[in-house]
Amino acid sequence: MFNFIKYLLNKMKKTVIIIGSGFSSLSAACYLAKSGYNISILEKNATIGGRARQLKRDGFTFDIGPTWYWMPDVFERFFSDFNKKPSDYYTLEKLNPAYSVYFKKNDYITIEDTLDKIYKAFEKEEPGSAKKLKKFINRAQSNYDIAIKDLVYNPGVSPLELVTSKTVTKLNEFFSNIKRDVRKEFKNERLVKILEFPVLFLGAKPSDTPSFYSFMNYADFGLGTFHPKKGMYQVILALENLAKTLGVKIKTNTPVEKIVTKNKKAVGVITNKEKLHADIVLSGADYHHTETLLEIPLRQYSENYWSKKTFAPSSLLFYVGFDKKIKNVNHHTLFFDVDFDTHAKAIYDNPKWPESPLFYASFPSKTDNCAAPENKEAGIFLIPLAPGLEDTPELRAQYFDKIMTRFESLTSQNIKKHVIFKESFCINDFIKDYNSYKGNAYGMANTLMQTAFLRPKLKSKKVENLFFTGQLTVPGPGVPPALISGKLVSELIIKQNS
């Protein structure tokens, strides 16, 4: 009798099929399962995590995607919605230094783990800048409190979501930009570059990013940079653990080939294996790709729409095993020894492979001995690129040699001959593994005209019971926004069906 009642209850639950298993999909799955929905996640790849997968080779472990853990309060808020804490699943370490930035040979600035230390570093670089930085960070913190504790938890349905008693006082900050604000206060180019750096996470040039987004500077300096022991993939495993305890079913190696509709209503999907019924279909996969799974009249956005949007960069990534420890670098190290504006033009204005690219390197084994065997080093190198460029093995090899040569010169050491192996990931791989539009890595940039209600919608306007989540919709690029996006779309679904 009990089993029969359980069977009837399960039949009464609405079935949701979620396409993709990245942060936003797993987040939505948890919220919907908690509310009583019957959830199945379908992942095209062999492992879950979307862009946040993991590479293991010869005793080395690399995070393939995100390597920065910022905004810890967003993660805490997510887990607290399920009466949990991040520490129930993984161990966090606050990095000190958070990162260092190279400008020329043996010449770098280190960003440490407290505001007081950062103020001293700025003052040493430019007398009088500590006072200016305090004023700048106070404003950034105010913006953070408004944005992260309030605005980003709106579903992007109406422009009125942006109008509150607090945002009205910040109106001018939506029409100025980060570059203008930073350069008005700071004249030292090195400090300017450090202050402009965090908005790169939003996927646009500082000159195209509204001043309000200075809250990223507070995330950087005020809250700090963390590392989950064993890497960012531990956060994915935490979400998987939580989802499964809530009853979520996950299938890997199951690409969705078509979204089935009836009378303009989503009623299921066709995978590489079978046809599956659903009351609701939610896609955390690439938004553009998801719409190609529909008949053309049912797509909300045309190819022309997507082609006119400003996308965040793609990336050329290298995952490298070294047979020795690397000197003169920190866990996160940025190389700003070339002109940023020239590189930015090659991404946004005249898309091409940059002649002299800025690049970023992460050495997780500096913090975490799980990342590499003893006395060896795991290195991740990233060059931002325009999406949609030609991607060939020859270009990858050329750029690996280019950044390794500069790395050796800037840090005064030989490392090329200490490479045990290297694997690369670039535009073609983003397309192949994630169906990413033009091979973009981070989604759609957060420019003024691509903010909040101006981003692609969480709910389809043409197909009933079809929803979207992830970096192409609200709130935007990044891991914390992806967690929030999952919450927002789940609330829309629950509201519609309540």
Side-chain angles (χ1 to χ4, degrees):
M1 186 66 173
F2 173 77
N3 287 335
F4 180 67
I5 293 171
K6 186 176 179 183
Y7 169 79
L8 287 176
L9 288 173
N10 282 332
K11 290 291 283 183
M12 291 168 62
K13 288 182 181 179
K14 283 194 179 291
T15 297
V16 182
I17 285 178
I18 300 179
I19 305 171
S21 65
F23 281 106
S24 58
S25 292
L26 289 167
S27 168
C30 291
Y31 284 108
L32 291 169
K34 179 187 173 188
S35 295
Y37 289 80
N38 184 15
I39 310 297
S40 291
I41 292 176
L42 306 179
E43 168 57 51
K44 75 181 285 286
N45 293 308
T47 57
I48 67 165
R51 284 166 167 77
R53 294 181 298 152
Q54 200 174 51
L55 168 65
K56 291 192 174 188
R57 178 170 168 180
D58 301 343
F60 293 82
T61 301
F62 305 89
D63 284 311
I64 290 179
T67 55
W68 294 77
Y69 191 107
W70 273 8
M71 304 183 187
D73 50 320
V74 174
F75 295 85
E76 289 161 8
R77 181 167 172 176
F78 170 81
F79 284 108
S80 71
D81 285 340
F82 303 91
N83 296 314
K84 298 288 185 181
K85 305 185 294 293
S87 59
D88 292 330
Y89 299 97
Y90 52 88
T91 302
L92 274 183
E93 178 179 347
K94 190 174 188 182
L95 296 181
N96 186 32
Y99 56 90
S100 54
V101 185
Y102 268 90
F103 296 98
K104 48 191 181 182
K105 185 170 183 173
N106 302 323
D107 181 12
Y108 56 88
I109 293 176
T110 298
I111 300 300
E112 295 190 70
D113 61 338
T114 69
L115 276 170
D116 284 342
K117 293 176 186 175
I118 296 167
Y119 293 145
K120 288 176 183 175
F122 267 59
E123 190 65 23
K124 182 180 176 183
E125 185 69 22
E126 180 185 321
S129 64
K131 183 178 179 181
K132 294 177 182 177
L133 182 60
K134 286 178 185 176
K135 179 182 174 184
F136 184 84
I137 292 298
N138 285 339
R139 189 166 69 245
Q141 181 176 5
S142 170
N143 290 351
Y144 189 92
D145 289 342
I146 294 169
I148 304 303
K149 296 177 182 177
D150 186 12
L151 282 189
V152 295
Y153 285 91
N154 285 312
V157 173
S158 164
L160 295 177
E161 293 170 1
L162 296 176
V163 182
T164 70
S165 58
K166 293 178 180 177
T167 57
V168 166
T169 65
K170 301 277 186 178
L171 197 59
N172 63 312
E173 294 195 41
F174 285 93
F175 297 98
S176 184
N177 63 66
I178 292 288
K179 182 173 184 175
R180 188 181 302 151
D181 285 6
V182 168
R183 291 171 185 269
K184 185 170 65 178
E185 297 293 337
F186 300 90
K187 306 307 175 191
N188 182 295
E189 273 298 316
R190 292 144 64 97
L191 299 184
V192 165
K193 285 180 178 180
I194 290 172
L195 286 168
E196 289 181 347
F197 146 69
V199 301
L200 298 180
F201 284 97
L202 301 170
K205 292 188 293 186
S207 58
D208 291 334
T209 303
S211 302
F212 184 73
Y213 284 102
S214 67
F215 65 72
M216 293 295 291
N217 293 101
Y218 178 71
D220 178 4
F221 290 175
L223 297 177
T225 303
F226 295 78
H227 173 74
K229 186 171 176 58
K230 298 185 181 180
M232 286 291 288
Y233 197 65
Q234 295 306 303
V235 188
I236 288 291
L237 295 178
L239 294 173
E240 177 191 34
N241 185 334
L242 176 59
K244 286 184 172 178
T245 62
L246 293 165
V248 175
K249 297 177 285 294
I250 301 175
K251 291 182 181 179
T252 54
N253 295 310
T254 309
V256 172
E257 297 175 349
K258 184 176 182 180
I259 295 172
V260 181
T261 61
K262 186 176 181 181
N263 299 324
K264 296 186 178 180
K265 180 185 289 189
V267 295
V269 301
I270 296 174
T271 74
N272 60 331
K273 301 170 184 174
E274 58 189 333
K275 182 176 181 179
L276 298 170
H277 163 77
D279 298 301
I280 295 160
V281 175
L282 166 60
S283 179
D286 179 271
Y287 204 123
H288 169 269
H289 168 73
T290 301
E291 290 220 309
T292 68
L293 304 179
L294 295 163
E295 301 296 334
I296 291 175
L298 298 179
R299 300 173 191 175
Q300 302 174 92
Y301 303 108
S302 67
E303 290 297 322
N304 188 47
Y305 169 89
W306 294 111
S307 68
K308 289 182 177 178
K309 292 300 173 185
T310 301
F311 274 80
S314 186
S315 299
L316 170 56
L317 291 137
F318 295 102
Y319 310 99
V320 188
F322 295 99
D323 67 7
K324 70 165 189 175
K325 286 294 184 184
I326 308 299
K327 300 181 297 182
N328 305 327
V329 291
N330 290 310
H331 184 128
H332 296 298
T333 307
L334 301 159
F335 294 85
F336 285 0
D337 56 307
V338 297
D339 184 61
F340 170 81
D341 288 336
T342 302
H343 188 165
K345 285 175 184 174
I347 296 174
Y348 297 104
D349 302 332
N350 180 27
K352 63 181 179 178
W353 282 79
E355 288 184 25
S356 299
L358 289 82
F359 66 98
Y360 152 70
S362 172
F363 300 94
S365 43
K366 290 288 177 193
T367 301
D368 194 337
N369 58 18
C370 299
E374 190 175 358
N375 297 320
K376 297 181 180 178
E377 202 86 86
I380 302 168
F381 298 83
L382 182 153
I383 301 172
L385 296 173
L389 297 181
E390 178 188 23
D391 170 18
T392 67
E394 293 76 17
L395 280 165
R396 297 188 190 195
Q398 176 188 337
Y399 276 79
F400 182 74
D401 185 66
K402 190 174 284 200
I403 64 171
M404 287 299 107
T405 299
R406 275 177 42 211
F407 183 94
E408 287 186 329
S409 173
L410 290 164
T411 64
S412 298
Q413 63 191 309
N414 295 316
I415 63 167
K416 287 182 186 178
K417 64 184 179 182
H418 294 281
V419 173
I420 304 168
F421 66 84
K422 72 174 188 293
E423 295 199 18
S424 63
F425 199 96
C426 196
I427 290 167
N428 291 347
D429 301 298
F430 281 103
I431 294 169
K432 177 175 68 74
D433 287 3
Y434 311 129
N435 295 308
S436 172
Y437 180 72
K438 292 187 176 180
N440 80 82
Y442 309 108
M444 193 181 285
N446 266 344
T447 61
L448 178 61
M449 298 308 293
Q450 294 180 176
T451 291
F453 67 97
L454 296 172
R455 297 179 72 80
K457 301 301 181 187
L458 292 168
K459 183 178 185 296
S460 174
K461 295 176 289 186
K462 290 193 173 183
V463 180
E464 191 178 345
N465 291 340
L466 175 61
F467 294 82
F468 301 83
T469 187
Q471 59 189 8
L472 287 179
T473 184
V474 291
V479 176
L483 289 176
I484 295 168
S485 185
K487 179 182 174 77
L488 295 178
V489 75
S490 67
E491 289 173 345
L492 278 186
I493 292 169
I494 292 164
K495 182 178 179 181
Q496 175 180 294
N497 291 278
S498 60

